[in-house]
Amino acid sequence: MMKTILFSLSLFSVAIFVSLFISRNSYALEENVIPDSYIVVFKDSIASPAEVANQMAKEHGLTLAYTYGHALKGFSATVPAARLNALRKDPRVLFISQDRVVNISGQANGKGKPTPTPPPQPPQETPTGIARIGTTTNTGAGIGVAVIDTGIDLDHPDLVDNVVAGYSCVRRNTTGNDDNGHGSHVARTIAAANNSIGVVGVAREAKLYAVKVLDSRGSGTWSSVICGIDYVTANAANIKVANMSLGGGGNSDNNCGITNSDALHKAICASRDAGVTYVVAAGNETDNASNHVPAAYDDAVITVSALADSDGAPGGIGLATSYGPDDTFATFSNFGSVVDLGAPGVAIKSTWKNGGYNTISGTSMATPHVAGAAALYLQKYPGSTWIDIRNGLIGLGEPLGAGHTDPPGFHPERVVFAGSL
């Protein structure tokens, strides 16, 4: 039997097995700072951000990495310490954020790397997560969903009919192809085709956009993630939902990052205002999700925790899982008032890179169940805003107590249910 592992994304991990300490030790944040690397955010009045970025690079002696013109107006660059103060005082600059490393944090149970099921393709099955949240004749047809992650296996037989575009923010990669596996796993849960092979997804005919912001090692930067958000925002006419199964230490200022100079928060808010609904992972640190971003951005995202479900049905009669009894809050999952919905996140079978399949666990796996449900909601209720979708899915969710509850003293959330969409 394929081993179940906890596979999560952590923006500021100190080492691959210590993500629990990220939100509780401030020094950990500093250890993943990229020296002399910054994200420069322009004032909204700047009309030609790419032109201004090039001008400022020449004026301040900078090496540009990314330029942004949609979710943000600005750029990321190497900024020598001696030039930082002058850059901060530039009248075109709103604020500057330190760039940091984004990493896949590794396997929290220490059991090693996952082993995908190799081709040939197995007969189609309905994974327990899909069974638990309910199936419907609604297919999500025509709704664009971006997977902001390690990319998607663009040639996977179970995904190829749904992937319509790929984009890479990773150096030396020209497409959104997945050379890690995590993004492909997320993609299947959202929208694997209803065919004769593999596994079926929530929104079986949604359009998938592979937005690669992490490399083959699962590594990237704040600036590469914002690059992906910028692409999604530029294509908001076609992309209506974005899945971000990643997170790290941080908090929300409840002001779209303006108060605390948070470039990621500002970018997501702008993308939200362009009509994109962001569905994000609560995180896997057994901590209050308000200590982690983007989960904490409750003014801009739908945040998802993980349910331990072994049989694809409510009632708590299934076998116990590695992360708690059947139908209980997954022991690794973050929790709290910023969490909007729960979804199955333990032993989730899905697609993998190189045409394979894999069974892994984490809030990364719970999140795409809700992203798929958001696509179904949009197909049934065209023109819905992100708040409409969030409140609508909460209203349709399993009654409190039927699924899981948070640790004592914390806010409970309903488990998503898509069967009525």
Side-chain angles (χ1 to χ4, degrees):
M1 182 180 294
M2 193 177 297
K3 293 183 178 179
T4 299
I5 63 162
L6 176 61
F7 196 96
S8 63
L9 288 176
S10 174
L11 289 171
F12 306 126
S13 54
V14 179
I16 63 174
F17 302 122
V18 295
S19 63
L20 178 62
F21 295 98
I22 292 174
S23 65
R24 300 172 184 174
N25 295 272
S26 60
Y27 67 83
L29 298 177
E30 297 307 316
E31 291 195 2
N32 278 275
V33 163
I34 303 174
D36 298 331
S37 184
Y38 295 89
I39 301 161
V40 179
V41 179
F42 295 157
K43 294 176 180 176
D44 292 339
S45 58
I46 296 298
S48 303
E51 181 180 339
V52 172
N54 287 320
Q55 289 174 352
M56 291 180 66
K58 294 178 180 178
E59 293 170 8
H60 293 276
L62 310 178
T63 301
L64 296 180
Y66 300 98
T67 58
Y68 313 116
H70 303 282
L72 286 182
K73 293 181 179 181
F75 62 88
S76 64
T78 299
V79 182
R83 296 171 185 161
L84 183 58
N85 285 338
L87 186 62
R88 290 188 190 279
K89 295 176 182 179
D90 191 297
R92 295 163 289 190
V93 172
L94 179 64
F95 64 77
I96 298 176
S97 295
Q98 180 84 54
D99 203 2
R100 301 178 189 274
V101 174
V102 180
N103 279 320
I104 291 174
S105 64
Q107 291 75 49
N109 60 7
K111 293 184 178 179
K113 294 182 178 180
T115 303
T117 302
Q121 298 295 310
Q124 181 170 280
E125 63 182 279
T126 300
T128 56
I130 302 300
R132 177 56 186 265
I133 74 167
T135 57
T136 174
T137 57
N138 186 345
T139 64
I143 304 299
V145 183
V147 177
I148 302 176
D149 210 294
T150 61
I152 298 175
D153 183 353
L154 301 178
D155 299 318
H156 199 295
D158 217 6
L159 296 171
V160 65
D161 291 337
N162 297 70
V163 179
V164 297
Y167 184 79
S168 179
C169 292
V170 177
R171 300 286 188 269
R172 298 178 297 278
N173 292 87
T174 58
T175 72
N177 198 48
D178 185 7
D179 47 11
N180 176 276
H182 186 272
S184 298
H185 197 283
V186 167
R188 188 290 307 171
T189 300
I190 297 170
N194 185 15
N195 49 29
S196 62
I197 61 171
V199 285
V200 68
V202 178
R204 303 176 296 280
E205 295 182 16
K207 297 178 180 179
L208 291 169
Y209 290 75
V211 184
K212 184 175 178 62
V213 299
L214 305 173
D215 63 19
S216 61
R217 299 167 299 172
S219 295
T221 61
W222 276 107
S223 55
S224 65
V225 173
I226 294 172
C227 167
I229 297 170
D230 204 55
Y231 168 81
V232 168
T233 309
N235 292 276
N238 298 314
I239 299 173
K240 297 303 179 184
V241 179
N243 189 103
M244 292 181 68
S245 288
L246 51 84
N251 306 103
S252 174
D253 63 358
N254 297 312
N255 190 31
C256 289
I258 303 301
T259 304
N260 65 352
S261 299
D262 185 341
L264 178 66
H265 195 177
K266 189 176 191 309
I268 291 176
C269 281
S271 199
R272 169 206 68 187
D273 293 344
V276 182
T277 296
Y278 279 78
V279 185
V280 308
N284 303 325
E285 291 80 15
T286 319
D287 189 23
N288 194 321
S290 64
N291 295 321
H292 301 263
V293 296
Y297 302 153
D298 58 351
D299 57 352
V301 304
I302 300 172
T303 300
V304 184
S305 63
L307 169 74
D309 173 87
S310 63
D311 60 359
I317 61 175
L319 297 175
T321 75
S322 299
Y323 301 105
D326 183 44
D327 296 339
T328 63
F329 195 82
T331 55
F332 56 77
S333 182
N334 288 350
F335 47 82
S337 62
V338 299
V339 178
D340 299 298
L341 286 160
V346 173
I348 302 300
K349 184 175 181 179
S350 190
T351 48
W352 201 247
K353 66 177 181 177
N354 299 326
Y357 294 84
N358 202 2
T359 301
I360 56 179
S361 302
T363 56
S364 284
M365 286 63 253
T367 304
H369 288 90
V370 178
L376 297 182
Y377 195 95
L378 272 169
Q379 189 186 52
K380 187 169 184 177
Y381 303 107
S384 296
T385 67
W386 81 277
I387 293 178
D388 294 333
I389 296 168
R390 182 187 66 184
N391 293 343
L393 292 179
I394 291 172
L396 294 171
E398 292 183 4
L400 292 176
H404 69 264
T405 58
D406 283 7
F410 286 92
H411 182 272
E413 61 270 1
R414 297 185 177 200
V415 173
V416 67
F417 181 71
S420 59
L421 290 173

